[in-house]
């Protein structure tokens, strides 16, 4: 059976002291989970987190990746540099980057492509705003966002991870219901099936106010293969509870 993936997105949180406390707390409780586990940390802390996680079951990820290989791109971090610190995953196209950094579907697709060609698994985020949901445009929006990535990546598409993160559920405490999430995941799965015979291998994560209390019901849905967790990933006990729910 396909392993689920529980990934924490720390966003712009942490400090040397807080990271150490959090990672030590996770390592003390994680045991041998049946799912894959990752933490996507601020890049400035990669060296610290890489050292703390070395040899453990928790993999390392980042929250963004450059679409370029190297060179004159001030402020960017080359994928090869991330690889030197053991990075396995890169979140791509998070709604906060689409919203605050103007990332278009094409930029997101190019970043996913660069990650794949660098041996890093992109976690491609898609999701509608509240206005788009209320206008009945949820399917149209998530399909358009995913189509750009499928178009740019051809047969490599089976190597990506997709995260459905409804924008209205992020950081609001208002998670999508398990039924709402499953409905969109089924749409995304069908779209991936039309693109590759290996679509069943692709992990589809849910993100948006997933927490210790609602994780089991969300993760129990047939097309939900894991979670991308923000706030609850900053508390060791909550994150461990979510990991334990991913059976
Ligand atoms: P919250 O879990 O804090 O809602 O954040 C979700 C998210 O954006 C993960 O990428």
């Amino acid at each position: 059976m396909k392993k689920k993936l529980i990934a924490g997105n720390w966003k712009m949180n942490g400090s040397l002291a807080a990271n150490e406390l959090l990672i030590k707390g996770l390592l003390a409780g994680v045991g041998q989970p049946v799912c894959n586990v990752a933490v996507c940390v601020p890049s400035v802390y990669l060296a610290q987190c890489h050292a703390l996680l070395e040899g453990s079951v928790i993999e390392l990820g980042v929250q963004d990746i450059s679409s370029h290989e190297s060179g004159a791109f001030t402020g960017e971090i080359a994928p090869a540099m991330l690889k030197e610190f053991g990075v396995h995953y890169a979140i791509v196209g998070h709604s906060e980057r689409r919203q605050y950094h103007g990332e278009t579907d094409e930029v997101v697709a190019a970043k996913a492509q660069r990650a794949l060609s660098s041996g890093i698994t992109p976690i491609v985020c898609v999701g509608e705003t509240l206005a788009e949901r209320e206008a009945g445009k949820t399917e149209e929006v998530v399909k358009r966002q995913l189509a750009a990535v499928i178009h740019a990546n051809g047969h490599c598409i089976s190597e990506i991870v997709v995260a459905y993160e409804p924008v209205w559920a992020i950081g609001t405490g208002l998670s999508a219901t398990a039924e709402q999430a499953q409905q969109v995941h089924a749409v995304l799965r069908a779209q991936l099936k039309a693109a590759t015979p290996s679509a069943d291998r692709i992990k589809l994560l849910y993100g948006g106010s997933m927490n210790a209390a609602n994780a089991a019901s969300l993760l129990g849905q047939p097309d939900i293969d894991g979670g991308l967790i923000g706030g609850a990933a900053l508390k060791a006990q909550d994150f461990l509870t979510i990991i334990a729910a991913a059976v």
Side-chain angles (χ1 to χ4, degrees):
M1 213 180 84
K2 177 169 49 180
K3 275 192 178 187
K4 290 190 167 60
L5 167 63
I6 299 298
N9 174 7
W10 289 4
K11 307 196 180 185
M12 199 171 73
N13 294 293
S15 65
L16 288 170
N19 302 342
E20 184 170 347
L21 207 63
L22 178 53
I23 288 181
K24 287 191 169 163
L26 293 176
L27 292 176
V30 73
Q32 288 295 326
V34 293
C35 63
N36 294 121
V37 179
V39 287
C40 299
V41 308
S43 293
V44 71
Y45 293 126
L46 279 174
Q48 180 203 20
C49 297
H50 180 46
L52 286 166
L53 292 172
E54 189 129 51
S56 82
V57 296
I58 302 179
E59 293 179 310
L60 196 52
V62 287
Q63 300 167 18
D64 184 32
I65 192 165
S66 176
S67 61
H68 303 283
E69 190 175 354
S70 66
F73 299 99
T74 301
E76 296 274 285
I77 300 172
M81 298 172 186
L82 302 175
K83 290 287 288 179
E84 289 197 297
F85 292 92
V87 167
H88 271 81
Y89 296 100
I91 298 173
V92 165
H94 192 281
S95 61
E96 288 149 16
R97 296 212 56 89
R98 293 180 191 260
Q99 187 179 349
Y100 306 134
H101 300 270
E103 290 193 7
T104 61
D105 293 341
E106 289 65 38
V107 167
V108 173
K111 289 185 170 190
Q113 199 172 15
R114 178 64 64 193
L116 284 170
S117 66
S118 312
I120 292 173
T121 301
I123 301 177
V124 177
C125 299
V126 300
E128 81 287 3
T129 63
L130 185 58
E132 288 163 342
R133 173 162 281 262
E134 286 175 349
K137 293 196 167 149
T138 299
E139 264 195 41
E140 179 188 323
V141 169
V142 298
K143 283 171 89 171
R144 188 202 73 224
Q145 291 172 331
L146 185 57
V149 178
I150 292 173
H151 178 72
N153 288 282
H155 67 276
C156 293
I157 202 69
S158 60
E159 305 301 320
I160 71 169
V161 170
V162 178
Y164 169 54
E165 297 208 316
V167 179
W168 48 271
I170 295 176
T172 58
L174 185 75
S175 167
T177 64
E179 294 71 27
Q180 282 173 324
Q182 166 57 29
Q183 205 169 34
V184 178
H185 279 233
V187 167
L188 297 172
R189 181 82 67 201
Q191 187 179 7
L192 290 165
K193 276 194 173 146
T196 169
S198 315
D200 282 330
R201 281 183 34 195
I202 301 175
K203 290 183 174 66
L204 299 185
L205 316 184
Y206 169 78
S209 297
M210 188 185 272
N211 57 39
N214 63 21
S217 100
L218 286 159
L219 294 169
Q221 299 300 309
D223 287 302
I224 300 186
D225 308 313
L228 184 56
I229 294 110
L234 298 172
K235 298 176 200 137
Q237 198 46 58
D238 288 11
F239 197 55
L240 289 170
T241 303
I242 298 171
I243 292 167
V247 287

